[in-house]
Amino acid sequence: MDTEALKKYSALHPKPAGLTLQYGTAGFRTKAEQLDHVMFRMGLLAVLRSKAMASTIGIMVTASHNPEEDNGVKLVDPLGEMLHPSWEEYATQLANAEEQELQKIITEICQKAAVNQDKDASVFIGRDTRPSSKKLSQSVIDGISVLGGQYHDYGLVTTPQLHYMVCCQNTQGQYGKATLEGYYEKLSKAFTELIKRSPSSGESQRHLKIDCANGIGALKLSEMQPYFPKEVQIHLYNDGTKEKLNHLCGADFVKVHQKPPRGLAMKPNERCCSFDGDADRIVYYYKDATGHFHLIDGDKIATLISIFLKELLAKLGQTLKMAVVQTAYANGSSTRYLEETLKVPVHCVKTGVKHLHHKAQEFDVGVYFEANGHGTVLFSKVAETKIRQLAKEEKDDEKREAAKVLENMIDLINQTVGDAVSDMLVIEAILALKGLTVQQWDAIYTDLPNRLLKVQVADRRVIDTTDAERRAVTPPGLQEKIDALVKNYKLSRAFVRPSGTEDVVRIYAEADTQENADALAHEVSLAVYHLAGGKGAPPQP
């Protein structure tokens, strides 16, 4: 390691005094002007991780659905998955180190993680459309170069596209070609194969309005448009030419505010969807004939995909195990429908994509979505091999046909991470193949009315949870109080959990009516305020 070069370059990317940051599920995220030193140091870390794994590592410069003035960075592990938790710890140490300790901390990481300094390092870089992203990705490149790493800068890409490229590279092209063309070709070929099997294929055009959150999704969808079959017409809104990223638009805005984004006019019963700023989340919605807005969130997306895959798996007559993974935020109606009507096992895990992804890997077919619209489907190696074999060799026509549809589904789904473009094509293909309208999809089950609230507290660590965050262990008496409140309402449940990023406690409640869900959420928020050290004025109804 060239200590002089490290000193010289590190001084060009100084750390603001007194700033400490934490690497979480979303990597690092904060105001863009505070991130220069972090980007440089994550360039360093990516080189170390690459040497430790003898694989290409990805670095994505994005702050997803945050406001335009924020930015962030996350590392991508060899198979396109999120950075390993033990390395999140190293990332935090490195980002917060004082200038003079950098060398020492790098040496410590190398020892602890058995990094072979003589190995080559290779890093793929991508960035979103924020004004600060280009300069910040240059700081990443400085970090990679100081430690002698090789890099390929993909420039503007969606977060899931970078995850995809990293996986392609490290599977020696088995997962696909590590280029944007490779991505567009693989997805569009699978999508075209599926669409031509649909009952109304060729006769009617399918229209879809897409709110691109004024982000990277718009750029990449317009690049991909020539690859789409002519039956599918997509119309892009909030394409980033006029307005600010994520401002009054995007999947997060629509989900939180339960209303359409700015800049997209809806006619009754038109299918619409929103991506988030880096295109790794998607939600659908429509307005009915009376002008009432209907949101179709991640739970309903998971349900649609599960219904479709379950039918196909049943036709195969194989013993492949399928399950759905949710968090405590999943609407109770979706859980009930999946378990009782569809008879698919449902598993609840802690909030955070990495927990869902990890659990979904335990099954032959693991479907996971967060209610916010981030999710995908994972197929085990065994399941994938079996399906591809049946698609080729099965004598029975119906079985072979089912296997072919599943094979195209495997190719259409981005298994590395939730991907708005891929998920959108999966949904469009299923709706076409099943001949479903957006209203019929929405009517599969009715969401229980719910309410999300947050309460400011002096210290979020006073709340500790268990049972996938559904029950509070501390402070004493809080869970008993919540249990007593829940008993007063029909079809009700409520839980509280500390935020991962700020001193607030998040509260979720659902019940048979909106009025009751609101009342329950308020009562629980008062309990949190009084028992967990609330700050400021007590919550108002």
Side-chain angles (χ1 to χ4, degrees):
M1 184 174 7
D2 184 340
T3 43
E4 281 316 303
L6 182 67
K7 262 196 191 133
K8 189 181 115 189
Y9 270 92
S10 166
L12 296 174
H13 301 283
K15 179 172 97 71
L19 180 71
T20 49
L21 295 168
Q22 177 81 33
Y23 194 103
T25 302
F28 290 112
R29 261 186 220 175
T30 186
K31 293 275 168 276
E33 62 271 12
Q34 299 184 327
L35 280 167
D36 179 57
H37 71 292
V38 173
M39 297 293 172
F40 171 72
R41 293 166 181 204
M42 288 310 101
L44 302 173
L45 190 73
V47 169
L48 302 181
R49 181 71 176 150
S50 174
K51 290 181 177 210
M53 300 299 288
S55 304
T56 296
I57 295 296
I59 286 199
M60 185 70 200
V61 177
T62 181
S64 190
H65 53 275
N66 281 34
E68 186 168 274
E69 45 281 2
D70 290 1
N71 218 321
V73 59
K74 42 189 172 185
L75 272 70
V76 179
D77 255 356
L79 292 178
E81 65 283 63
M82 303 197 154
L83 183 64
H84 192 275
S86 62
W87 280 71
E88 289 184 4
E89 195 49 52
Y90 301 149
T92 302
Q93 283 170 6
L94 202 53
N96 296 325
E98 294 309 325
E99 208 100 345
Q100 61 279 8
E101 315 172 299
L102 260 189
Q103 176 77 55
K104 178 167 101 34
I105 287 182
I106 289 173
T107 308
E108 278 172 13
I109 293 172
C110 288
Q111 284 164 350
K112 279 190 206 149
V115 174
N116 181 351
Q117 289 280 18
D118 304 326
K119 279 259 194 292
D120 288 337
S122 144
V123 183
F124 282 180
I125 310 162
R127 66 173 192 272
D128 71 10
T129 55
R130 291 162 197 272
S132 58
S133 291
K134 185 147 176 44
K135 187 171 172 298
L136 289 173
S137 74
Q138 192 49 57
S139 306
V140 170
I141 290 171
D142 284 355
I144 296 167
S145 307
V146 166
L147 292 186
Q150 299 293 309
Y151 66 88
H152 182 88
D153 184 2
Y154 281 94
L156 293 163
V157 287
T158 70
T159 296
Q161 284 175 334
L162 186 77
H163 283 255
Y164 176 91
M165 310 289 185
V166 171
C167 183
C168 291
Q169 182 67 15
N170 290 313
T171 55
Q172 285 70 52
Q174 268 180 298
Y175 193 65
K177 284 211 292 280
T179 61
L180 276 173
E181 292 69 47
Y183 173 91
Y184 297 144
E185 278 164 7
K186 180 179 172 182
L187 268 63
S188 59
K189 179 170 171 276
F191 180 65
T192 305
E193 282 295 314
L194 288 164
I195 280 286
K196 68 177 196 216
R197 289 177 153 81
S198 80
S200 61
S201 171
E203 61 196 57
S204 65
Q205 282 205 322
R206 302 182 60 80
H207 290 270
L208 176 67
K209 289 184 167 178
I210 307 168
D211 153 34
C212 300
N214 289 311
I216 185 73
L219 279 179
K220 299 296 133 182
L221 277 175
S222 34
E223 283 175 12
M224 196 174 180
Q225 239 163 340
Y227 294 86
F228 286 148
K230 59 184 185 312
E231 290 97 323
V232 177
Q233 290 292 311
I234 59 170
H235 309 276
L236 308 183
Y237 296 84
N238 297 323
D239 62 1
T241 50
K242 297 191 267 301
E243 294 282 340
K244 274 175 73 165
L245 174 72
N246 294 326
H247 181 57
L248 302 178
C249 62
D252 202 54
F253 172 85
V254 173
K255 167 78 178 149
V256 171
H257 297 278
Q258 307 265 337
K259 63 179 186 191
R262 192 159 106 183
L264 187 152
M266 297 165 69
K267 295 199 189 84
N269 297 325
E270 276 186 328
R271 249 190 353 277
C272 305
C273 67
S274 283
F275 289 10
D276 72 334
D278 64 341
D280 65 358
R281 294 181 182 188
I282 184 170
V283 295
Y284 270 69
Y285 45 92
Y286 68 98
K287 264 187 180 155
D288 63 26
T290 65
H292 182 70
F293 175 81
H294 295 253
L295 174 72
I296 301 180
D297 64 4
D299 300 336
K300 239 174 209 165
I301 293 173
T303 305
L304 178 73
I305 293 173
S306 301
I307 290 171
F308 186 70
L309 293 178
K310 184 164 189 229
E311 285 171 2
L312 289 168
L313 289 168
K315 283 180 186 162
L316 282 192
Q318 295 290 320
T319 53
L320 296 173
K321 276 232 264 305
M322 173 172 146
V324 177
V325 186
Q326 297 182 326
T327 72
Y329 287 111
N331 195 281
S333 292
S334 72
T335 315
R336 209 165 284 137
Y337 177 86
L338 287 163
E339 288 183 332
E340 293 170 16
T341 309
L342 204 56
K343 305 271 190 281
V344 169
V346 178
H347 297 266
C348 185
V349 297
K350 274 164 59 170
T351 307
V353 182
K354 57 184 177 190
H355 302 299
L356 290 130
H357 192 91
H358 191 74
K359 186 71 185 172
Q361 288 173 319
E362 295 176 17
F363 310 99
D364 291 312
V365 181
V367 180
Y368 76 82
F369 268 84
E370 290 188 295
N372 65 26
H374 186 287
T376 188
V377 185
L378 305 183
F379 293 86
S380 70
K381 265 282 154 273
V382 171
E384 186 175 332
T385 310
K386 191 84 206 149
I387 287 163
R388 291 196 192 277
Q389 184 193 352
L390 290 168
K392 245 209 302 289
E393 299 164 7
E394 175 58 54
K395 299 284 184 284
D396 179 275
D397 287 352
E398 196 191 19
K399 279 187 184 174
R400 188 178 64 253
E401 185 54 29
K404 279 186 174 161
V405 172
L406 277 167
E407 180 173 43
N408 284 310
M409 273 287 159
I410 291 172
D411 289 333
L412 184 53
I413 290 163
N414 185 345
Q415 293 185 59
T416 64
V417 72
D419 180 339
V421 175
S422 155
D423 289 341
M424 172 190 90
L425 295 174
V426 167
I427 292 162
E428 290 301 307
I430 294 174
L431 292 176
L433 285 163
K434 290 187 70 64
L436 287 174
T437 64
V438 68
Q439 305 88 299
Q440 288 169 317
W441 172 20
D442 187 31
I444 290 171
Y445 62 81
T446 306
D447 273 326
L448 280 169
N450 57 83
R451 178 63 64 207
L452 276 162
L453 295 175
K454 52 186 182 186
V455 176
Q456 286 211 303
V457 291
D459 181 0
R460 65 179 185 269
R461 289 170 303 190
V462 299
I463 292 208
D464 192 21
T465 63
T466 183
D467 186 25
E469 300 177 314
R470 289 176 290 192
R471 299 189 66 76
V473 185
T474 62
L478 178 59
Q479 189 57 51
E480 290 72 15
K481 181 73 181 153
I482 294 171
D483 291 342
L485 293 168
V486 164
K487 283 204 177 98
N488 301 330
Y489 300 97
K490 284 201 186 98
L491 296 175
S492 62
R493 68 183 182 105
F495 68 89
V496 302
R497 54 179 285 271
S499 157
T501 47
E502 47 187 335
D503 279 321
V504 299
V505 175
R506 301 190 189 281
I507 288 144
Y508 178 89
E510 60 185 33
D512 57 344
T513 66
Q514 191 61 57
E515 211 178 342
N516 285 346
D518 289 350
L520 176 58
H522 176 64
E523 289 163 6
V524 171
S525 71
L526 282 173
V528 168
Y529 179 85
H530 291 302
L531 293 169
K535 261 172 73 173
Q540 295 305 306

